């Protein structure tokens, strides 16, 4: 079975998009699980907080961590 250059490029692009979609889906799942764990810990501690506030706090701490890493480089 012989493939042309165009067919190989198209197969590579389709494979790349599928791989990217799979990795993106896994990362979103990991992020959601981390947010749910943090929310559960707040509820166990008796703090009434919204899920959106927990997600915003996680995003803010990630930004601060990235800024510190940039300053160290």
């Amino acid at each position: 079975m012989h493939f042309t250059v165009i067919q190989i490029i198209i197969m590579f692009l389709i494979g790349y998009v599928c791989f990217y979609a799979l990795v993106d889906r896994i990362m979103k799942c990991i992020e959601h699980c981390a947010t749910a764990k943090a929310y559960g810990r707040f509820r166990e501690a008796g703090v009434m907080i919204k899920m959106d506030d927990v997600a915003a706090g996680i995003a803010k701490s990630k930004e601060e961590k990235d800024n510190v890493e940039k300053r160290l480089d």
Side-chain angles (χ1 to χ4, degrees), residues 42-59:
F42 279 115
R43 290 200 55 173
E44 286 176 2
V47 177
M48 297 307 290
I49 191 166
K50 295 179 184 176
M51 186 72 141
D52 295 333
D53 295 337
V54 174
I58 291 171

Side-chain angles (χ1 to χ4, degrees), residues 3-73:
F3 294 111
T4 64
V5 173
I6 299 295
Q7 289 174 328
I8 292 172
I9 291 172
I10 291 172
M11 287 189 297
F12 176 76
L13 290 175
I14 290 171
Y16 177 78
V17 169
C18 291
F19 180 74
Y20 177 81
L22 179 65
V23 169
D24 184 53
R25 182 82 170 187
I26 291 170
M27 292 298 137
K28 284 183 182 179
C29 181
I30 291 170
E31 182 180 357
H32 178 73
C33 290
T35 304
K37 283 182 184 178
Y39 181 71
R41 289 184 183 153
F42 279 115
R43 290 200 55 173
E44 286 176 2
V47 177
M48 297 307 290
I49 191 166
K50 295 179 184 176
M51 186 72 141
D52 295 333
D53 295 337
V54 174
I58 291 171
K60 183 179 177 184
S61 67
K62 183 180 178 188
E63 289 175 7
E64 289 173 358
K65 180 182 172 187
D66 291 343
N67 288 337
V68 168
E69 289 176 356
K70 287 179 183 177
R71 282 187 235 147
L72 293 175
D73 290 339

